[in-house]
Amino acid sequence: MCGIYGYVGKLDAYNEVFNGLKLLQYRGYDSCGIAYLSNNELKIVKTVGTIDNLPKIKIKCNLSFGHTRWATNGAVNYDNTHPHISFDKRFTVVHNGIIYNANEIKLALQNKGINFYSNTDTEVIANLLASLNGDVDERIKSLFNHLKGTFALIIENEGALYLVKKFSPLNILKAEDGIYISSDVSSLKTGQLYSLKDYDVIKIKDNQILPLSGEIAFTKYNNCIQNYSLNNFPHFMLKEIYETPTAIENTYNYLKDIDVSPYFKNIKDITLIGCGTAYHSCLIGGEVLKKLNFNIKTELASNFTLFKKINKHHLHIIVSQSGETADCIKAAENIKKFGGKILVITNEAKSSIVKFANHIILTKAQKELAVASTKTYCSQVFAFILIAKKLKNANYTINIKKFKKSLTNYIKNSNIISAAKMLSKLDKTILIGKDIDYLTLLEASLKIREIDYIYTIPIYSGELKHGTLSLIDNQSIVLSLNTDNVANKLSNAINEIESRGGKVIKFEQFMPKKYYKDFSCIYSIIPFQLFSYFIAIEKGYNPDMPKNLAKSVTVE
Amino acid sequence: MLKKLRPTIGIIDSGIGGISILNALKAKFKGGNYIYFADNLNMPYGNKSAKFLKNRVNNLINYLKTNYLTDYIFIACNTASSVLKLADADVIKMQFDTNYTYLVTPLTKQTLQNINVVADKTLAKLIEKHIFNTKALNRIIKYHVNLHKLNAMDCFVLGCTHYELVYDLFKKYCPNSKIIKNSDFILKDFNMNFETNETSILFLQSKSSKSYIQKLKSLVED
């Protein structure tokens, strides 16, 4: 995971990297550090926590690079914070990824008498470079022979920066005022962009970009970073829930003119693959596609492995908000290896997963910064429903303006705070529902776990009496969802809970009386998203940056 | 001033023979970081094809370089050395001198030209098997000395590192011959600069066997 950002040019390099790293914090915020070249001496500042904990240094420097960390190897502390320096002080490294054979290399280096000051695999890379023999360019190229695993690296040696990429993303951008490097294109300004390919090595020296292996071809890239401000909202999560109607409108406008039927031509079996929230949208997608007589299977990307050739009637749909999810990319590689067809649904048109896709469908939710996915989940679910509708009826349309207005009013008028206050006092809860509501509850449950740190058990209402009911006492609060509000659907389960002193919050009460029934899954998740947000506020947590997590999971 | 790193030295042999090189290196340099690779899966090298050996040893060299970051690698096997053509300066192999007569394995004989050699098919394997059985070893060496009439020679070189392990027995049965260890030649010219007297030895093997590692360890001289 982690984010890396670098800058070489005429602007204040430290400041550029400071601001760049802020945009990458969604990739991890356990700790961060910046290296900058001042009077031909490389200096380093590090801190545990977010970028704002770093000092704002006003200094004239033209080269700087930094790192924001999501801990994989080694605890969250100052020593393990990047950048890491080699024992001979000649190599300084920031790294995104995991080195699987780091322990073996570390032992070999320790046997040579090298001491280590951190528990990271990154310090191993720095010391490995210092202990190898020969020319620096060759040493850096030989990293591919020594290191097993995934890595995107910025390495500094005597004023030159080296960029190395295998699996983890890395991009370089030539702009008028300098050269920018980042893990994520969306954090870059307008200019000429090149996304590094695996096994690329690029050297930046004296403002020149020199490929040491592979060829590089720049393309024009436009971005407007100013959209990422809070815009009077207290948190990005709330802002992004409020942006859901626009995200859906944009996704509709993009999808309405696309004929999706060729993607599904002659397809009998569909496997939907995702992780976390995207997996939950796959579950809903599976449910709606099932009605069109496809054989549906839904798989977690982290648990997905194929062993035999895939027939031509089988389509794999991979959903990843960022398009950088390592588990999804591994799954895509696996499918390609066995000759399968892939349809990717992602929010990032230029992401790593796109190169594996036979077809791409974009969700136009725009950038989402809060770790908990809200508007992107709704856009994914919306895309699935719309695809299913269009497959059934090629001329399917909705009045998107009305739909947007209905959603906007619904979000504005939701009154969920008192329920949130009630649950914020507890450390566990059970969610019950049936059919597609249960799938919505899986996502709702994840939201409450990830940002409120409350243990949640989503369960089919009928299953309650087969074991889980033993958890209910007079302190319990159970959340129920019965979208269609069909009498008796959940009444047995609710009675079982209430007769044992438990309290039930019925979430259908927060839904509007009139809504677009085809899209009920979107209406039903929104109260839960707001609910989890307000619990976090009540508990004093930062909903945008839950502990131990990061937005884009780029490690397996 | 930064301290000099302790170099890592890889030693590759088909079995226990390379221990003679390890012992010689340990005696010459006070400390060092040694990785001993016994390719016991392919023991003995003496009856393998040249093509197989070239491939195998090159793979092992790459393996030690990438995984153990070796600074030098000794091909502690005369057979493998005789088939390898190497460009890397950090890989040191056994050399053969036309001025001497060598006792070697059959494959080494095939690859050497213009050198006086006496080839033996089974001796390396027998030494490997009976290394701790003094009685058997005495019988084996005595038999082979008589077989090849080594005691009638003024001088001969032990052209297999396995033979070097039983140098004393050769001396016993050839009291009037000058016997030279082939490893003496390469070690005489080999030097490294470092400041440490710490020694570490890691034993690796291609066919997993705890007792084999014990066997290797017990042959290392203090």
Side-chain angles (χ1 to χ4, degrees), chain B residues 99-197:
Chain B
N99 294 325
Y100 297 97
T101 301
Y102 280 79
L103 177 64
V104 295
T105 61
L107 181 57
T108 315
K109 184 189 171 181
Q110 275 179 37
T111 53
L112 296 180
Q113 284 165 357
N114 307 324
I115 293 179
N116 283 332
V117 290
V118 176
D120 189 282
K121 268 185 180 175
T122 53
L123 185 55
K125 201 174 176 183
L126 288 169
I127 293 172
E128 175 98 16
K129 192 174 175 190
H130 299 289
I131 189 70
F132 296 121
N133 186 342
T134 320
K135 211 173 156 185
L137 273 184
N138 265 290
R139 208 170 54 236
I140 292 163
I141 302 300
K142 191 178 172 187
Y143 172 79
H144 282 85
V145 163
N146 289 333
L147 181 72
H148 302 302
K149 300 192 174 57
L150 296 173
N151 52 359
M153 293 185 189
D154 293 337
C155 172
F156 64 91
V157 186
L158 300 176
C160 168
T161 45
H162 278 78
Y163 306 162
E164 294 186 17
L165 285 173
V166 288
Y167 173 84
D168 293 346
L169 289 177
F170 276 108
K171 197 72 205 158
K172 184 177 163 185
Y173 294 106
C174 308
N176 300 321
S177 309
K178 186 184 175 194
I179 308 172
I180 303 169
K181 295 176 180 176
N182 202 20
S183 58
D184 288 349
F185 293 121
I186 54 166
L187 286 173
K188 204 170 66 188
D189 300 334
F190 178 70
N191 263 312
M192 354 179 240
N193 288 326
F194 61 97
E195 295 153 11
T196 175
N197 50 9

Side-chain angles (χ1 to χ4, degrees), chain A residues 447-496:
Chain A
K447 285 287 138 313
I448 298 170
R449 275 201 303 275
E450 69 179 327
I451 65 166
D452 305 329
Y453 320 143
I454 292 174
Y455 290 80
T456 54
I457 305 173
I459 190 163
Y460 277 109
S461 50
E463 277 296 296
L464 193 64
K465 56 187 175 292
H466 295 291
T468 314
L469 195 60
S470 64
L471 292 173
I472 302 293
D473 57 27
N474 57 7
Q475 303 292 315
S476 307
I477 296 178
V478 176
L479 315 181
S480 76
L481 180 64
N482 183 3
T483 313
D484 303 332
N485 216 356
V486 178
N488 300 327
K489 204 173 173 185
L490 294 187
S491 61
N492 284 350
I494 290 172
N495 285 340
E496 286 155 14

Side-chain angles (χ1 to χ4, degrees), chain A residues 231-299:
Chain A
N231 230 350
N232 292 333
F233 281 92
H235 294 99
F236 280 107
M237 184 177 174
L238 190 64
K239 178 181 175 233
E240 285 156 6
I241 294 173
Y242 273 73
E243 283 171 353
T244 302
T246 313
I248 285 176
E249 183 190 30
N250 293 342
T251 306
Y252 177 78
N253 287 335
Y254 156 81
L255 257 176
K256 70 175 182 201
D257 300 325
I258 295 178
D259 181 10
V260 292
S261 58
Y263 305 170
F264 293 83
K265 199 177 171 189
N266 297 328
I267 296 297
K268 290 177 185 159
D269 304 302
I270 297 177
T271 304
L272 298 114
I273 300 160
C275 299
T277 290
Y279 173 71
H280 296 149
S281 62
C282 284
L283 290 172
I284 305 259
E287 204 61 27
V288 293
L289 289 170
K290 207 186 274 178
K291 291 177 183 150
L292 301 174
N293 291 328
F294 292 114
N295 297 318
I296 301 288
K297 211 170 152 191
T298 316
E299 296 256 21

